[in-house]
Amino acid sequence: MQNIVILAGNIGQKPEARTTQGGTNITNFSLATSRPRLSEGRVLRDENGYRVMDTEWHRITCFNGLGKTVAEHCEKGMKVLVHGRIHYSKWIDSMGNDRYGCEIIAEKVDFLSRPKSAESENPELVDKDDEIPF
């Protein structure tokens, strides 16, 4: 039995890093993934002929060295590929209600694009595939 997740998407906000009292580095960020909206097995299109997309947001958590690397080199809008596992948690809130959460514990994060700040420094190294109109 395995718990494996692979997500490719865009970082929603600058990653937030913190260190626990025990010295563990933890970095969190949100990741947006999109897929075409389907109706009766066909891709829906808007009035201009563009595909209608549904976006889902995922909470990603990275630990120690991986977390440090992500915090130092990632920023909002970057494309990344996350390999990890799903982690569910349950807690009781201040009102005594059961609360549930889900996050992805990253084991590997591959950078699929460069930070915007790096693009301005070396424009010849930027992947222009996003600009191809098809």
Side-chain angles (χ1 to χ4, degrees), residues 27-96:
T27 301
N28 296 86
F29 64 93
S30 58
L31 186 72
T33 58
S34 299
R35 61 182 175 80
R37 184 178 299 170
L38 301 177
S39 176
E40 299 179 8
R42 303 190 79 162
V43 174
L44 283 179
R45 298 194 178 269
D46 65 14
E47 60 276 357
N48 297 319
Y50 293 103
R51 292 184 295 180
V52 176
M53 303 296 282
D54 287 328
T55 300
E56 292 188 52
W57 290 93
H58 312 274
R59 291 176 22 191
I60 311 295
T61 301
C62 307
F63 291 99
N64 297 316
L66 177 60
K68 181 179 178 187
T69 300
V70 167
E72 290 176 359
H73 299 288
C74 289
E75 61 184 38
K76 178 180 178 175
M78 279 184 61
K79 290 180 179 6
V80 295
L81 181 68
V82 176
H83 296 255
R85 60 185 171 85
I86 299 173
H87 174 74
Y88 296 98
S89 53
K90 177 183 175 187
W91 69 95
I92 298 173
D93 67 13
S94 60
M95 303 294 284

